[in-house]
Amino acid sequence: MARTVPPRVTSLPAWKALESHHKEIAPRPLRELFSEDPGRAKRMRAEGAGLLLDYSKNRINDRTLELLLELAEGCRLSHHIRTMFEGQHINKTENRAVLHVALRMPKSASLVVDGVDVVKEVHEVLERMERFARKIRDQSWKGATGRSIKNIVNIGIGGSDLGPVMAYEALRFFSDRRLVFRFVSNIDGTDFAEATRDLDPEETLFIVSSKTFTTLETMTNAHTARRWLLEKLKKEESIRHHFVAVSTNAAAVSSFGIDTSNMFGFWDWVGGRYSMDSAIGLSTMIAVGPENFREMLAGFHAMDEHFRNTPFARNLPVLMGLLTVWYANFFKSQTVAVLPYDQYLKRFPAYLQQLTMESNGKHVHLDGSPVDTATGPIYWGEPGTNGQHSFYQLIHQGTHLIPIDFIGFARSKNPLGDHHDILMANLLAQGEALAFGKTADEVRADGVAELQVPHRTFEGNRPSNTILAPELTPGTLGALVALYEHSVFTSGILWGIDSFDQWGVELGKVMAVRIIGEIAGKTPQGKVHDSGTAALLDWYRENRKKD
Ligand code: F6P
C-alpha cells in the first residue's frame, strides 16, 4: 500500500500567507479587534456535543480563520479523519489502527477492521464489565473470607492511571460513597504504602491495569499488592477473589496468577492515553455505576460525531487544533494553560499532559524526516481560582505569551451560597483582564502614583478560549475529553507527525533497567556511564544502606 504522507505544512500556500498575515495581526490589540467588529463575539463561537467554545478572545480575525481552514484543507484533514474512523493503520510506526472512537460507538453500530467487527467486541467487554461492577456495587462479590469489597485499588501508570484517577475525581459526585477508591502508580513504595495503610485486605480488590502487563512500575506494585494480601490471607487461592486485570496480554495476566475469566480485555488499537473509556475505566464504572459510564460514553460519541460531521469552521476540535498550531508556530508560544473552574476537574490538566504531550511531542514527520516547525506545546494548569493566587501574575504581566483554555459550568454540583457565582465571576474576569488589560492612562485615572503606573499597567492581548457547559456530568466529561483528543489529532495532522506512538519514553526505561542491575551489583558498572552519572550512582550506592 502506498504511504500517504501529508504534504509539508510549511510548503502550503496557506502557510506562507499565514506568515505574512501574522505580521499584520500580531501588533493588533484585542481591544481594537473587538471595538471595530461588534459581531465578533457572536460569530467566534461554536457549539457541539453540549459544549460551547468561545474563541473570540484569540489573536485572530476572519482572515486568520480562513487561512487556518485552508491549511487544514491543504493537509487533507477530512481525509485523515475518515481514515481514522475507518480503522486504517494510521499509527504508522506501530502499524496499528487508532480506534478509540470505536470504544464509544453504540451497540447498533458496526465497524469491521481487519475482518473483525470491533464494535461487537467492545460491547461484549462492556457487558462483562457491567456485570462485574454491579457485583461489587451490590456487594455480591465476596472476598476470600466471605466479606464484601469496600476498597478498590487501581494499580497502573500513564494512561492506565491518569484517566481513571481524573475520571474518578471528575465524577466523584456520582460515585458510590460506600466504596473507597485509591490509585497506585508511582514505583516509589510510598505510593503503595500510603494507599493501603488503612485498608483491610479482606475487603480490598486490586485492579491491575496495564495494556502490556509488562510495565515495570505496575508489575512491581502488583507483586507488592500480592504479598500485602497474602501476608494476611495466606492462601494463594485468595488471589482470584481480590485481583482482576485489565490488559491486552492474557498470557502475562495468567502467569501473574490472575484468573483470565477475571480479565477485561481491550485491543492494540487503543492507545494508553486514549483508553479511559475502555476496560481501563473499570474503576470508573464501579465508582459511578454502569448507567453513568454509558452516559460518559455517549458524551464521547456525541463529540466524535460532531468532529466527523461538522464543517471545520464550526467544528470545536478542529478550531482548537488549528489555534494550537497558530500560537505554537506563528506566535512561537511554548505552552498552553488549561484552567478548569471546577474543583472536580482538579486532575484534568495532569490527564491532558499525557494526552497532548505524549501524542504531539515529536521531532520527526511520519516519513522520519525532521520536523520543520515546533510541534506539541507544553500543557499545564491548575483549577481556578487557586492558580490566580499562584502563577497568573506571569500570565498577566510576564514576558511569555501563554494561550489559555478556561473551562466552566453554569451550575455547580455543590451549590453553596454564592460560591458558584463568585467562581464564575472570576473565570469571566480573568478572560477579560487578560485580553483587554489596563492601559497606563486608565491606571493614572485611578489616581495611582506615577512611580507605580508601569507596574500596575496590564498590556492585555493575552489570548484565551472559554469552554462552557451547563453542568459537569458524565456526558459532559466524555465530550470534553473527546474534544481534546480530536484537537490533538488535528494539530498532529497539520504537523505531519505520528500522534499515536511514544518512542520517546523508551530510552529512559532501558537505561533504568541497566542501572537497577548495577545497584543490585548484578552487572559491572564498567565505563558504561558518563562521569556525572557514574559519580551520582556511586553516591547512591554508598549512601543507600546508611541511617
Ligand atoms: O511509558 C509510557 C506508556 O507506554 C504510556 O503510553 C502508557 O499509557 C503507560 O506507559 C502504561 O502502559 P501500560 O498500560 O502498558 O502499563
Side-chain angles (χ1 to χ4, degrees):
M1 197 175 65
R3 291 186 83 179
T4 45
V5 178
R8 296 280 171 271
V9 70
T10 49
S11 68
L12 296 172
W15 184 274
K16 310 273 177 224
L18 276 163
E19 279 176 336
S20 49
H21 173 72
H22 173 255
K23 291 196 182 84
E24 286 162 33
I25 206 97
R28 304 208 54 200
L30 277 164
R31 276 183 184 236
E32 213 174 276
L33 295 175
F34 268 84
S35 66
E36 73 187 17
D37 178 7
R40 178 181 172 95
K42 263 208 173 130
R43 228 174 38 254
M44 293 192 181
R45 60 195 273 171
E47 283 181 60
L51 304 184
L52 166 71
L53 168 69
D54 174 336
Y55 57 96
S56 62
K57 292 193 181 79
N58 280 292
R59 294 175 64 176
I60 56 173
N61 62 13
D62 291 339
R63 180 70 185 141
T64 327
L65 279 173
E66 234 172 76
L67 291 171
L68 286 170
L69 292 168
E70 256 179 66
L71 203 58
E73 290 302 328
C75 293
R76 304 173 65 222
L77 179 60
S78 319
H79 159 83
H80 289 286
I81 294 174
R82 205 179 59 244
T83 59
M84 174 169 73
F85 277 86
E86 282 172 357
Q88 293 191 31
H89 288 205
I90 61 167
N91 176 355
K92 299 283 181 200
T93 72
E94 295 178 308
N95 190 22
R96 286 178 182 164
V98 173
L99 268 179
H100 42 278
V101 292
L103 297 170
R104 49 264 192 159
M105 284 183 181
K107 202 174 173 181
S108 53
S110 154
L111 179 61
V112 179
V113 177
D114 303 332
V116 178
D117 185 351
V118 296
V119 180
K120 189 164 171 275
E121 292 196 344
V122 163
H123 282 270
E124 278 164 11
V125 174
L126 271 174
E127 279 156 26
R128 286 188 57 229
M129 287 167 65
E130 286 192 14
R131 284 197 291 278
F132 180 72
R134 286 193 205 284
K135 280 190 196 157
I136 300 291
R137 288 168 64 86
D138 70 15
Q139 309 199 333
S140 57
W141 180 281
K142 302 291 180 198
T145 56
R147 303 251 290 266
S148 305
I149 297 298
K150 289 200 183 124
N151 316 307
I152 290 94
V153 182
N154 186 77
I155 299 181
I157 197 163
S160 302
D161 166 71
L162 288 162
V165 186
M166 182 279 285
Y168 171 67
E169 292 295 344
L171 301 178
R172 203 170 221 202
F173 179 83
F174 300 87
S175 69
D176 184 334
R177 307 290 178 147
R178 294 168 308 169
L179 300 172
V180 170
F181 288 84
R182 301 274 163 81
F183 299 85
V184 175
S185 53
N186 201 330
I187 191 72
D188 184 340
T190 300
D191 205 10
F192 183 86
E194 288 293 341
T196 52
R197 59 180 301 127
D198 55 347
L199 304 186
D200 182 343
E202 289 184 63
E203 300 174 339
T204 301
L205 174 81
F206 289 99
I207 304 176
V208 185
S209 297
S210 174
K211 180 174 168 178
T212 54
F213 228 73
T214 56
T215 304
L216 178 64
E217 292 87 339
T218 301
M219 295 330 294
T220 307
N221 279 320
H223 282 285
T224 300
R226 213 170 182 281
R227 283 194 296 277
W228 178 84
L229 192 97
L230 290 178
E231 207 170 290
K232 178 152 187 210
L233 300 184
K234 313 292 180 208
K235 297 186 195 132
E236 283 281 327
E237 207 278 321
S238 51
I239 296 291
R240 70 188 176 87
H241 299 272
H242 295 269
F243 277 80
V244 297
V246 179
S247 186
T248 56
N249 186 349
V253 168
S254 167
S255 71
F256 179 87
I258 298 177
D259 186 346
T260 44
S261 62
N262 295 331
M263 167 181 156
F264 300 88
F266 60 116
W267 305 269
D268 71 354
W269 42 259
V270 184
R273 54 195 178 273
Y274 296 88
S275 68
M276 61 169 275
D277 48 341
S278 71
I280 290 290
L282 183 61
S283 59
T284 315
M285 190 190 272
I286 297 171
V288 303
E291 290 73 19
N292 281 317
F293 195 85
R294 292 260 181 200
E295 193 198 317
M296 182 180 83
L297 295 182
F300 271 101
H301 182 64
M303 184 56 79
D304 295 342
E305 290 296 291
H306 169 86
F307 180 53
R308 169 145 83 151
N309 299 319
T310 310
F312 289 167
R314 287 185 282 115
N315 191 314
L316 272 69
V318 170
L319 290 165
M320 281 180 59
L322 293 176
L323 287 166
T324 305
V325 170
W326 175 236
Y327 289 114
N329 298 138
F330 296 90
F331 283 87
K332 315 286 182 211
S333 291
Q334 296 194 346
T335 83
V336 174
V338 180
L339 308 172
Y341 278 65
D342 191 299
Q343 185 64 17
Y344 283 127
L345 289 182
K346 66 180 183 190
R347 296 288 291 165
F348 192 61
Y351 170 77
L352 280 188
Q353 285 185 322
Q354 188 197 10
L355 176 64
T356 59
M357 290 156 75
E358 206 172 70
S359 296
N360 283 345
K362 304 290 161 67
H363 70 145
V364 290
H365 293 120
L366 276 164
D367 63 2
S369 61
V371 292
D372 48 358
T373 62
T375 56
I378 299 153
Y379 276 73
W380 57 286
E382 279 290 320
T385 58
N386 300 9
Q388 289 175 209
H389 297 272
S390 163
F391 51 77
Y392 276 41
Q393 163 66 37
L394 182 146
I395 307 181
H396 280 283
Q397 288 189 318
T399 52
H400 302 276
L401 183 73
I402 302 175
I404 290 171
D405 292 345
F406 288 110
I407 301 171
F409 301 93
R411 295 183 293 275
S412 169
K413 286 291 180 209
N414 298 292
L416 283 182
D418 53 3
H419 281 241
H420 195 65
D421 290 343
I422 299 174
L423 176 73
M424 289 303 287
N426 271 279
L427 180 159
L428 298 173
Q430 290 299 328
E432 192 171 18
L434 286 161
F436 304 111
K438 190 165 184 180
T439 63
D441 285 345
E442 287 167 345
V443 175
R444 281 189 196 101
D446 287 346
V448 168
E450 198 53 36
L451 190 69
Q452 283 195 350
V453 169
H455 299 277
R456 296 177 66 168
T457 298
F458 291 73
E459 240 177 32
N461 238 6
R462 268 67 171 165
S464 62
N465 289 318
T466 306
I467 301 163
L468 298 174
E471 259 182 69
L472 178 55
T473 62
T476 319
L477 181 69
L480 194 59
V481 173
L483 168 65
Y484 279 93
E485 287 176 348
H486 299 319
S487 107
V488 162
F489 176 88
T490 300
S491 308
I493 291 299
L494 263 69
W495 287 317
I497 57 180
D498 190 331
S499 299
F500 301 103
D501 62 12
Q502 56 284 316
W503 299 108
V505 301
E506 296 303 325
L507 179 60
K509 284 187 195 174
V510 172
M511 290 171 76
V513 168
R514 188 173 69 195
I515 295 178
I516 291 166
E518 290 165 5
I519 290 171
K522 288 189 191 136
T523 41
Q525 255 191 67
K527 279 206 171 70
V528 287
H529 298 291
D530 65 278
S531 57
T533 308
L536 292 169
L537 183 52
D538 285 345
W539 181 92
Y540 178 66
R541 284 156 67 108
E542 273 162 34
N543 287 278
R544 64 195 276 267
K545 293 251 181 276
K546 294 187 181 155
D547 289 339

